[in-house]
Amino acid sequence: MKNVVIHQIVTWIFTEDQLRAYWKKKGETVSFAALTDAQYMKLAEDMLAHSSHSQLEQHLLGGRWRTKEEAEGAVLAEDESRDDRHVEVIDTDDPAEPKRRMLIDRVREIPCPHCSFTFYVREASSERRDWTCPACGSGFRDLTPWQERE
């Protein structure tokens, strides 16, 4: 089965069956089986853009519907052309490839030391150290790795 995995801070999984149903609903004349991997990824991104919040819940990795196994397998194609999104076509019938950490460019991950909430800031200055957690409202100073050791 060919699933499309979109990594964008959160990971969205669009299964082959979901994409086939979306393609049929669009009423396209080209056969779903004839789509290229690039068209397949574009279809998943179109589906992402046109899904309501409640519809998106069924695509969210770690939610009630999608499991990590649905995002593991042989990578057939990928699009790394954008700084804030990575898209892959994964064949879940083939063995998973070695894991690699997905880094989305120009986004900084900041864990709150008070409530363990992690938030992300786009194009955050590397000099900025003072933060306020959006979850608990606590202020804290983010230390660089070499400052933590001192």
Side-chain angles (χ1 to χ4, degrees):
M1 184 166 287
K2 288 174 29 177
N3 296 343
V4 175
V5 179
I6 299 175
H7 304 277
Q8 185 179 13
I9 303 299
V10 298
T11 298
W12 310 101
I13 299 172
F14 295 84
T15 67
E16 185 174 333
D17 291 338
Q18 290 169 324
L19 290 167
R20 184 179 292 108
Y22 185 68
W23 184 253
K24 186 176 180 180
K25 181 180 173 186
K26 288 179 62 108
E28 300 290 344
T29 57
V30 176
S31 163
F32 179 79
L35 294 178
T36 66
D37 288 336
Q39 290 170 316
Y40 208 63
M41 289 186 286
K42 185 173 172 58
L43 178 64
E45 291 189 89
D46 184 66
M47 190 172 176
L48 175 65
H50 292 95
S51 294
S52 69
H53 287 271
S54 60
Q55 289 170 323
L56 287 175
E57 185 179 2
Q58 65 183 303
H59 303 291
L60 184 62
L61 177 63
R64 296 184 317 197
W65 304 97
R66 302 281 67 94
T67 65
K68 65 181 177 117
E69 289 79 20
E70 292 173 303
E72 295 176 348
V75 177
L76 302 178
E78 58 188 323
D79 177 359
E80 296 182 288
S81 63
R82 287 157 293 178
D83 295 329
D84 64 342
R85 180 179 289 185
H86 179 88
V87 183
E88 302 170 327
V89 177
I90 305 287
D91 186 340
T92 59
D93 293 331
D94 286 345
E97 296 180 354
K99 292 259 186 221
R100 62 184 199 257
R101 181 172 164 89
M102 191 66 53
L103 298 175
I104 307 298
D105 201 13
R106 290 193 261 307
V107 177
R108 183 170 173 195
E109 179 181 74
I110 303 168
C112 175
H114 303 288
C115 70
S116 300
F117 180 76
T118 299
F119 58 100
Y120 300 86
V121 179
R122 180 178 297 278
E123 299 193 27
S125 165
S126 60
E127 293 84 37
R128 181 171 174 185
R129 300 280 180 252
D130 295 314
W131 300 100
T132 300
C133 177
C136 70
S138 298
F140 62 94
R141 185 162 181 79
D142 182 34
L143 301 175
T144 58
W146 61 87
Q147 290 173 315
E148 291 173 350
R149 286 186 237 127
E150 294 176 351

